Structure formats: C-alpha cells, structure tokens
C-alpha cells in the first residue's frame, strides 16, 4: 500500500493531506538512502537505527514557505541559511532530504536532523515560513505545526529507494 492511499485519516479538504502523502528521501552518505512514507496509525517499519531506539529525526525545509514559490535559486539560498542555523542550534547528525508529493509532484529539498528538541525544530521551521515539519521516531511519523498545537500522528514505513 502506498502513502497516497493512507491519507483518508484527514478530511478531503485538509491542506495537510499533501504532507501525509509526502515521501521523504533521506540521503545517507556511505549507507543506503531511506525513503520514509506515512502508514496507518500504529504501523511502523523496521527502525533503521536499532542501536538508538530513542532517536528523534526532524525533517525541516526552507523551501516554498506558505503559498510563496520563490523559485529554485531563492529556495536554495534560504535552505543554505537554514542549514547554517541548524548547525548552530544542534551540531550533530544531519542528512540531505527531499520530500515529494506523488500526487502533485511538488518537491522540496530539506534536511533530516538529529539533536534538535521538538521546540527547536518547530521554531526553525517557523523562522523560514513553514506551516509544518516532520518528526520521525520509532513509534510514529508526525506532522507538527510550526505555529499552534496541531499534530497529526501517523505510522510509517520504509520504501525501497
């Protein structure tokens, strides 16, 4: 089953449906890329870091804030600034990530990072005009609002790269 089939938990007119469909490819140098996609609540894949079961990975981007579509050059400039901010906030493991909505084809480059707490990740997303970020744990794939308290907790699976 593909993540596109798993968004029925959100209302048809909910703008977060595209987040729930998004497949995130995390590029890990020297290791196999990970492709994370939403799954039914409670369903989780094999955790790729068995030695770190408490690990939290936040996926953040500076691309296409809100309804703005500033173009590739400006998006890359914004993303580079976000990555500098990320390194200052939480030096640690971070990998390039790309999220793609398979229905619309909308694509955004970002970063998957360990070492941020949830508040830092939300604040970083908000600083770059984002509506939401992803929070990935062994227990769930969560869409988290950058402003406000909204959260949508889903399951997750790893697809083939």
């Amino acid at each position: 089953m593909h993540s596109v089939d798993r968004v029925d938990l959100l209302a048809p007119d909910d703008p977060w449906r595209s987040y729930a469909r998004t497949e995130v490819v995390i590029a890990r140098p020297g290791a196999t890329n990970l492709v994370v996609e939403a799954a039914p609540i409670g369903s989780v894949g094999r955790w790729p870091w068995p030695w770190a079961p408490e690990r939290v990975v936040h996926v953040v981007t500076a691309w296409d804030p809100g309804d703005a579509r500033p173009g590739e050059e400006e998006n890359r400039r914004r993303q580079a600034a976000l990555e500098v901010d990320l390194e200052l906030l939480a030096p640690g493991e971070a990998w390039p990530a790309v999220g793609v909505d398979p229905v619309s084809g909308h694509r955004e480059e970002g970063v998957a990072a360990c070492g941020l707490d949830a508040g830092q990740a939300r604040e970083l997303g908000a600083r770059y005009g984002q509506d939401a970020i992803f929070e990935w744990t062994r227990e769930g794939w969560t869409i988290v609002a950058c402003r406000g308290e909204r959260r949508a907790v889903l399951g997750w699976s790893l697809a083939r790269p």
Side-chain angles (χ1 to χ4, degrees):
M1 186 178 283
H2 195 274
S3 65
V4 172
D5 303 323
R6 299 184 191 121
V7 298
D8 59 346
L9 300 170
L10 300 171
D13 60 345
D14 189 329
W16 278 25
R17 284 178 71 86
S18 65
Y19 295 138
R21 292 189 300 255
T22 297
E23 297 169 352
V24 177
V25 179
I26 300 171
R28 300 183 306 166
T32 304
N33 290 351
L34 300 173
V35 181
V36 187
E37 60 184 16
I41 294 171
S43 174
V44 295
R46 183 169 167 239
W47 191 236
W49 298 284
W51 64 91
E54 301 304 317
R55 177 171 264 189
V56 177
V57 178
H58 290 97
V59 181
V60 294
T61 185
W63 279 58
D64 292 343
D67 292 331
R69 299 296 177 259
E72 189 170 330
E73 184 177 325
E74 177 62 14
N75 278 327
R76 287 192 193 285
R77 187 195 64 73
R78 292 171 50 81
Q79 186 64 30
L82 178 144
E83 290 174 19
V84 168
D85 288 349
L86 175 64
E87 183 63 29
L88 294 173
L89 278 174
E93 292 181 286
W95 307 275
V98 176
V100 178
D101 177 344
V103 170
S104 70
H106 183 75
R107 175 187 181 281
E108 294 185 6
E109 295 179 17
V111 63
C114 291
L116 292 172
D117 67 35
Q120 289 174 312
R122 290 175 63 214
E123 182 181 309
L124 189 58
R127 186 179 312 158
Y128 287 90
Q130 300 302 306
D131 296 325
I133 60 166
F134 292 107
E135 182 177 276
W136 183 29
T137 66
R138 186 179 196 134
E139 294 80 29
W141 178 251
T142 305
I143 306 163
V144 182
C146 292
R147 293 169 213 80
E149 299 303 316
R150 185 170 186 197
R151 299 172 63 82
V153 181
L154 305 166
W156 61 269
S157 66
L158 290 176
R160 291 181 178 253

